[in-house]
Amino acid sequence: MTWDWSAVGDFMPRFWDGVLVTLQALVLGSLIAFALGLVWALAQRSTLRVVRWPVTAVTEFIRNTPLLVQLFFLYFVLPEWNITFSALTTGIVGLGLHYSTYTAEVYRAGIDGVPEGQWEACTALSLPRTRVWGAVILPQAIRRVVPALGNYVIAMLKDSPMIATIGALELLGQARQFSAVTFQPTEPITVIGVAFILIAYPASLLMRALERRLVR
Amino acid sequence: MTDLTAGLWELLLQGLWVTVQLTVYSAALGAFVAFVVGVARTNRLWIVRFVSGLYMEIFRGTSALVLMFWMFFVLPVAFGWQLVPLWAAVLALGLSYGAYGSEIVRGAIAAVAPAQHEAGIALSFSPWQRLTKITLPQAWPEMIPPANNLLIELLKGTALVSVLGVGDITFGASLVRNALGDSAPVYTIILVMYFVLAFLLTRGMRALERQAKAGIGQTPEKGAGVRGKLSIRRQDAISRSSAGGGA
């Protein structure tokens, strides 16, 4: 076992660049996943079959097929249809789309968890639909599901190295490039592996604490 | 889709076989790890609980893809152990998904009524007898629905090995893509292949669940009509197993 601290030192500038890109992908991907997931969840509750069924089918399909293949699909097939994004943008869209199918289920569970009396009260007060959702149902539903959404952000963090396979220079991408130049794979890959644990573990503790506070 | 020749189909089918092998072997290793670690987390000695908890946090905390890179590139250089690619992949997948599975095992054991455990002590069963004759038979049916979700995550996780040159479906697809110069058909085909595999896994696990629940005198809840049949995962299991997810 050889461990070269100077290689760790040399890797550090790239490491911080990688952290920045990983966090960027994570934040933007989460925003897409949160927004799109809510759209899927509401569409799955639609009274129209033509809306409900296709959305259910598409989200089931996306959720049960590998993110890696979906990334390849987006990265290689979209240019054939004359839609070109950078690797990072493709990665962010892929992560967001994949995880939106998970957050849709989280929102669905949260909406189902709102007591029946709340719906009846809305009907009794003859609130318009937008007020029913915006002021009564969603605030209660989302409060309960914040920890579950947070857990999916952590899961997304751990899936984010996949976007290195289409060429985005996040943590794993930087580590691969560094080891390709210096022929020292040990240090950079170990460093980023530890970095993931150091980010994910406190984050999961935070989610557990939030769960105790928010979900009653 | 017409220009996919027989030879190219053969590449995909060979990949399919490798993916099935990977899934089966990693699931077996993962189940073994999950039971050992999950049971160790309920041990009386704090040191056993601490070590198994540490294992779980480390393997759940890091990214499976990074772990795989580590096993492929760091292990040979740093320790001089060169594993056959397929087995390195099985080891990485089994160890990390086993860590997720240990939480399922621990949770199911914790859900068995404490009176069962106490009755075992009152009848002077040994700890091993209590575990194998009282706790696990009752915890086992509870584990199956979340294990099904995890198994699908594992199936999706096997796609990662293509990055390291193991010839699974995704690897076969990249070869076909290079041969055809056309990406849409082949990636559509393999996405459908993965979906069908996930569907078959779910059917199998539902059958297993029915059998396991019958063993302790319960019937599983019915799926909700067509949607219940179509939907691969048990809906309530998703919100509950927030610990899962993430390849």
Side-chain angles (χ1 to χ4, degrees):
Chain A
M1 166 106 205
T2 49
W3 181 265
D4 183 3
W5 281 106
S6 70
V8 176
D10 292 344
F11 178 56
M12 274 302 138
R14 287 168 181 265
F15 174 80
W16 292 115
D17 289 348
V19 168
L20 217 60
V21 176
T22 294
L23 290 181
Q24 195 187 347
L26 189 65
V27 170
L28 296 176
S30 305
L31 289 180
I32 295 177
F34 292 163
L36 211 53
L38 189 57
V39 173
W40 299 142
L42 294 180
Q44 284 183 4
R45 296 183 68 91
S46 161
T47 48
L48 296 173
R49 272 190 188 179
V50 286
V51 177
R52 204 168 61 222
W53 283 29
V55 168
T56 306
V58 167
T59 52
E60 282 292 331
F61 189 81
I62 294 177
R63 195 168 55 222
N64 290 298
T65 50
L67 172 60
L68 188 71
V69 182
Q70 290 164 8
L71 287 174
F72 288 156
F73 190 94
L74 290 175
Y75 193 63
F76 295 124
V77 177
L78 289 188
E80 289 175 4
W81 299 339
N82 290 323
I83 310 168
T84 321
F85 290 134
S86 72
L88 181 59
T89 314
T90 312
I92 290 169
V93 171
L95 279 171
L97 185 65
H98 189 77
Y99 274 94
S100 74
T101 61
Y102 285 91
T103 56
E105 287 305 318
V106 172
Y107 285 125
R108 194 194 56 78
I111 293 168
D112 286 350
V114 175
E116 196 65 24
Q118 301 288 325
W119 289 97
E120 289 162 4
C122 292
T123 313
L125 294 169
S126 71
L127 290 180
R129 274 175 72 87
T130 49
R131 293 280 289 166
V132 172
W133 283 104
V136 181
I137 304 300
L138 285 183
Q140 298 182 63
I142 289 174
R143 181 189 158 87
R144 296 157 158 272
V145 299
V146 167
L149 290 178
N151 280 326
Y152 281 117
V153 173
I154 299 172
M156 196 192 286
L157 168 73
K158 288 180 275 181
D159 273 356
S160 66
M162 283 191 212
I163 67 175
T165 61
I166 55 172
L169 284 177
E170 47 67 73
L171 276 172
L172 182 63
Q174 293 284 6
R176 282 171 87 185
Q177 215 178 47
F178 181 81
S179 48
V181 175
T182 62
F183 299 106
Q184 285 179 306
T186 311
E187 291 81 7
I189 294 180
T190 309
V191 165
I192 63 166
V194 172
F196 274 104
I197 299 174
L198 289 185
I199 303 174
Y201 183 60
S204 72
L205 288 185
L206 178 72
M207 288 309 139
R208 270 174 236 173
L210 263 183
E211 197 160 349
R212 277 195 295 276
R213 271 186 71 106
L214 292 180
V215 184
R216 271 170 300 179
Chain B
M1 235 172 249
T2 45
D3 42 351
L4 230 76
T5 60
L8 296 180
W9 270 107
E10 207 183 314
L11 278 178
L12 289 185
L13 291 179
Q14 278 169 359
L16 183 67
W17 173 234
V18 172
T19 294
V20 170
Q21 274 179 304
L22 268 173
T23 310
V24 171
Y25 296 147
S26 336
L29 177 63
F32 175 75
V33 170
F35 272 100
V36 171
V37 176
V39 169
R41 299 234 319 161
T42 62
N43 198 287
R44 226 154 25 109
L45 299 172
W46 72 267
I47 183 75
V48 177
R49 286 201 305 272
F50 176 77
V51 170
S52 53
L54 191 68
Y55 172 86
M56 187 203 73
E57 293 296 354
I58 287 177
F59 279 83
R60 256 173 35 144
T62 200
S63 162
L65 187 59
V66 175
L67 184 69
M68 245 180 240
F69 264 87
W70 200 84
M71 288 204 170
F72 271 71
F73 296 118
V74 179
L75 219 53
V77 176
F79 298 93
W81 298 338
Q82 178 85 55
L83 293 167
V84 179
L86 184 75
W87 291 108
V90 166
L91 202 60
L93 287 170
L95 291 180
S96 53
Y97 283 88
Y100 286 103
S102 73
E103 270 295 85
I104 296 174
V105 173
R106 191 188 62 81
I109 289 177
V112 173
Q116 298 288 331
H117 177 79
E118 289 157 10
I121 297 174
L123 294 170
S124 75
F125 277 38
S126 72
W128 176 252
Q129 284 175 321
R130 279 205 303 275
L131 182 69
T132 55
K133 300 212 181 297
I134 300 175
T135 313
L136 282 184
Q138 296 182 72
W140 165 240
E142 285 300 308
M143 296 176 200
I144 296 177
N148 180 27
N149 289 347
L150 195 59
L151 206 53
I152 294 174
E153 292 298 333
L154 173 64
L155 171 69
K156 287 160 59 184
T158 61
L160 298 178
V161 304
S162 67
V163 178
L164 299 155
V166 178
D168 76 328
I169 303 182
T170 312
F171 189 77
S174 62
L175 297 180
V176 173
R177 189 184 82 86
N178 287 337
L180 286 182
D182 190 13
S183 314
V186 64
Y187 280 123
T188 309
I189 290 170
I190 69 162
L191 282 172
V192 171
M193 278 181 172
Y194 277 111
F195 187 75
V196 170
L197 283 179
F199 186 78
L200 293 177
L201 274 180
T202 304
R203 292 283 100 189
M205 291 297 270
R206 290 271 169 88
L208 195 63
E209 188 191 355
R210 264 196 302 281
Q211 195 205 9
K213 288 220 163 145
I216 57 165
Q218 291 177 1
T219 46
E221 55 216 275
K222 286 267 190 317
V226 182
R227 167 122 199 245
K229 287 235 167 37
L230 275 179
S231 114
I232 281 199
R233 294 175 195 206
R234 183 65 49 77
Q235 301 293 336
D236 59 359
I238 285 167
S239 47
R240 205 178 44 199
S241 71
S242 50

